[in-house]
Amino acid sequence: MPRYPLLGLPEFGTIAALDHYIVRKRGRFGDFVELRAKTREQIDALMPELEVLDELIESPAAVNGKLSLDDIRVLPLLRSAAVVKGLRFPQKVRNYFESMMSRIGYQPLPAA
């Protein structure tokens, strides 16, 4: 979330849209620069969770082996996490993420 303004997304095509996002999110989560400065510790905290997810993924085509609500919940979270430069998904998570992004016809967001 604190990286989205750095990605050149069309949602932030105007200064007003960008300012609105930053003010709204800063009020809830804190200063974006400070949040980005804590990237390494956040990655370190996330990695055990990604390792657990890696063990749970049954197929690159679906978390549970067949499409379910879990895929609707998991894929957007992975897409958001994938923007973090330096974050490396475990192999099954990476395969799932790439397979699903291809399946839905979207490219991952660039890392920032």
Side-chain angles (χ1 to χ4, degrees), residues 6 20 23 31-32 37 39 42-43 56 59 61 64 68 72 96 100-101 103 105 107:
L6 305 175
H20 175 75
V23 168
D31 183 72
F32 284 2
T39 297
Q42 295 297 325
I43 288 174
L56 295 173
S59 164
N64 297 320
S68 70
I72 293 170
Y96 169 78
M100 292 299 287
M101 293 303 290
R103 185 178 199 169
Q107 293 295 315

Side-chain angles (χ1 to χ4, degrees), residues 6-22:
L6 305 175
L7 301 178
L9 300 173
E11 297 92 322
F12 306 128
T14 67
I15 293 172
L18 181 61
D19 286 348
H20 175 75
Y21 178 83
I22 292 170

Side-chain angles (χ1 to χ4, degrees), residues 53-98:
L53 178 61
D54 196 65
E55 294 175 17
L56 295 173
I57 292 177
E58 293 183 18
S59 164
V63 169
N64 297 320
K66 63 179 184 172
L67 291 176
S68 70
L69 287 176
D70 288 334
D71 297 291
I72 293 170
R73 292 179 184 115
V74 169
L75 186 60
L77 295 174
L78 292 176
R79 187 171 187 239
S80 293
V83 305
V84 178
K85 192 178 252 180
L87 177 64
R88 302 285 179 251
F89 289 151
Q91 191 60 52
K92 285 172 65 176
V93 173
R94 167 66 49 201
N95 292 345
Y96 169 78
F97 178 67
E98 290 175 355

